[in-house]
């Protein structure tokens, strides 16, 4: 979510906020989903089961939480703000839902995730990218995640090669999961309203995952997408890239007792791999997952690694 200017006080809001005197901190992404129709639609799209354990991040005052508690075995809610934790506890106190709710207080990015069947959340938008990859690298696998994101971030997740929004986020997410844009959510469905429009996305991890070292993959993709409109031949001529790959290559040769010629130049080896794989003149903006898998294999088979 957009951050408030320095010195600007969080806004006091109506509904739950006014009744409890809570000042929602928009700088921390506290925009409470207030429209019950949107809440119900998210729950419907999550296809919750009675036996499910659900992970929720940023439950706020519990509008989504309470509805899910009525349908599932358990909700594990991760909340960083102790004030909202108190409000959530009060909301279920003395009801049959209380013993189905577990609250974890703290930063979800620094917390080891528990076992869960599905994740349903109206995320604080500033943690969108790191949380998505924390989810996708989590084991054991979960069934799906239904997540609210800033509209442009959501469109980047589902962007295809050759489109304007296609980026490293797009290809990394689509390597590990099937991603679908489910619905748009206008800013007036939140209290206080954010400055941007939102979207709900479904993320379903690929199980089994592709047989690829993700750190290696991301190292390659990161280089290619730094300037996604450049040819790969140009992108790999960066001195920083050459130094990194030269260092990694020498480690690889040392581990495999491979002698390196005195006149060896990593730049020449990189360009040879790009030429032999047919990707010298290709640009990251138009390359799909299969292209990058082939390119990574081409580099790795020549002893060039990215992590």
């Amino acid at each position: 979510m957009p951050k408030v200017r320095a010195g600007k006080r969080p806004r006091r809001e109506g509904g739950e906020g006014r009744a409890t005197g809570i000042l929602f901190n928009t700088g921390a992404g506290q925009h409470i989903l207030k429209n019950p129709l949107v809440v119900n639609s998210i729950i419907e799209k999550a296809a919750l089961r009675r036996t499910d354990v659900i992970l929720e991040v940023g439950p706020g005052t519990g509008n989504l939480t309470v509805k899910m508690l009525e349908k599932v075995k358990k909700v594990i809610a991760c909340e960083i703000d102790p004030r909202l934790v108190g409000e959530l506890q009060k909301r279920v106190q003395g009801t049959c839902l209380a013993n189905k709710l577990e609250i974890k207080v703290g930063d979800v990015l620094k917390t080891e995730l528990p076992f869960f069947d599905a994740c349903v959340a109206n995320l604080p938008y500033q943690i969108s990218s790191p949380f998505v990859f924390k989810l996708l690298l989590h084991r054991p696998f979960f069934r799906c995640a239904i997540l609210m994101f800033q509209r442009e971030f959501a469109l980047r997740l589902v962007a295809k090669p050759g489109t304007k929004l296609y980026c490293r986020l797009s290809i990394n997410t689509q390597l590990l999961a099937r991603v679908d844009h489910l619905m748009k959510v206008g800013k007036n469905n939140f209290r206080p309203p954010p400055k941007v429009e939102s979207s709900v996305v479904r993320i379903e991890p690929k199980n089994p995952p592709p047989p690829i070292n993700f750190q290696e993959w991301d190292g390659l993709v990161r280089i290619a997408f730094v300037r996604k409109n450049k040819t790969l031949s140009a992108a790999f001529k960066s001195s920083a890239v050459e130094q990194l790959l030269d260092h990694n290559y020498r480690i690889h040769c040392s581990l495999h007792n491979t002698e390196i010629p005195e006149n060896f130049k990593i730049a020449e080896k990189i360009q040879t791999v790009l030429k032999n794989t047919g990707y010298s003149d290709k640009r990251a903006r138009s390359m799909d997952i299969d292209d990058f898998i082939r390119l990574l294999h081409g580099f790795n088979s020549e002893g060039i690694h990215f992590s």
Side-chain angles (χ1 to χ4, degrees):
M1 282 294 187
K3 291 189 175 181
V4 292
R5 295 189 300 273
K8 183 176 177 182
R9 294 186 63 198
R11 181 176 171 187
R12 186 186 297 274
E13 288 296 325
E16 294 91 353
R18 179 179 297 165
T20 60
I22 284 182
L23 295 167
F24 292 122
N25 184 354
T26 56
Q30 290 179 354
H31 296 270
I32 308 302
L33 182 59
K34 67 177 184 178
N35 187 336
L37 295 178
V38 176
V39 170
N40 289 338
S41 184
I42 289 173
I43 289 174
E44 178 185 333
K45 292 177 186 300
L48 302 179
R49 304 169 185 171
R50 285 285 175 191
T51 55
D52 277 346
V53 174
I54 303 299
L55 176 69
E56 183 183 14
V57 179
T61 53
N63 293 343
L64 188 56
T65 318
V66 170
K67 289 288 186 181
M68 290 195 293
L69 285 169
E70 295 170 355
K71 294 180 175 292
V72 301
K73 178 182 177 180
K74 183 179 184 180
V75 172
I76 302 171
C78 298
E79 176 57 63
I80 198 169
D81 189 337
R83 303 170 309 151
L84 293 176
V85 170
E87 291 306 312
L88 188 53
Q89 288 171 329
K90 279 193 278 186
R91 191 157 179 184
V92 299
Q93 193 173 17
T95 73
C96 60
L97 303 178
N99 63 357
K100 297 168 69 176
L101 175 64
E102 178 184 339
I103 302 176
K104 289 185 174 291
V105 185
D107 184 345
V108 70
L109 296 180
K110 298 175 182 177
T111 303
E112 184 176 344
L113 297 181
F115 167 84
F116 59 94
D117 296 295
C119 178
V120 182
N122 169 27
L123 283 175
Y125 290 170
Q126 64 267 39
I127 71 167
S128 295
S129 185
F131 183 71
V132 164
F133 290 103
K134 186 178 179 76
L135 267 187
L136 291 178
L137 298 175
H138 175 69
R139 300 293 182 270
F141 284 98
F142 57 95
R143 186 171 70 249
C144 72
I146 307 295
L147 304 173
M148 182 89 72
F149 293 119
Q150 181 177 334
R151 177 78 47 79
E152 183 173 316
F153 183 89
L155 294 179
R156 286 182 187 279
L157 285 177
V158 300
K160 299 302 179 187
T163 61
K164 183 180 178 182
L165 292 178
Y166 186 63
C167 62
R168 176 171 156 244
L169 172 70
S170 317
I171 195 166
N172 278 354
T173 307
Q174 292 167 35
L175 172 74
L176 299 173
R178 175 184 170 185
V179 193
D180 297 297
H181 183 282
L182 298 182
M183 64 179 182
K184 298 176 180 179
V185 182
K187 62 183 72 173
N188 291 330
N189 291 289
F190 299 89
R191 181 175 53 246
K195 295 178 181 177
V196 293
E197 302 295 332
S198 302
S199 284
V200 177
V201 169
R202 175 187 170 91
I203 298 176
E204 183 180 338
K206 292 179 181 177
N207 186 8
I212 291 172
N213 179 318
F214 183 73
Q215 281 66 40
E216 276 274 304
W217 164 274
D218 188 48
L220 168 61
V221 169
R222 187 187 297 269
I223 292 169
F225 275 95
V226 166
R227 294 286 184 272
K228 69 177 182 179
N229 295 323
K230 273 189 173 184
T231 63
L232 291 190
S233 177
F236 276 85
K237 285 177 180 173
S238 154
S239 59
V241 170
E242 289 179 354
Q243 287 173 17
L244 170 68
L245 298 187
D246 183 71
H247 175 73
N248 291 351
Y249 180 72
R250 291 179 185 279
I251 291 175
H252 171 82
C253 290
S254 175
L255 292 173
H256 291 82
N257 296 316
T258 303
E259 187 175 344
I260 301 175
E262 286 185 17
N263 62 348
F264 173 77
K265 292 181 180 178
I266 191 67
E268 292 177 0
K269 193 168 187 68
I270 291 170
Q271 294 302 321
T272 298
V273 170
L274 289 172
K275 182 179 179 181
N276 289 345
T277 54
Y279 289 105
S280 286
D281 297 325
K282 300 290 185 182
R283 291 168 168 80
R285 69 184 183 197
S286 59
M287 292 172 62
D288 62 17
I289 288 172
D290 289 339
D291 288 323
F292 277 103
I293 289 175
R294 283 191 287 269
L295 182 58
L296 181 60
H297 176 72
F299 275 117
N300 287 171
S301 64
E302 291 296 322
I304 297 177
H305 293 269
F306 296 86
S307 66

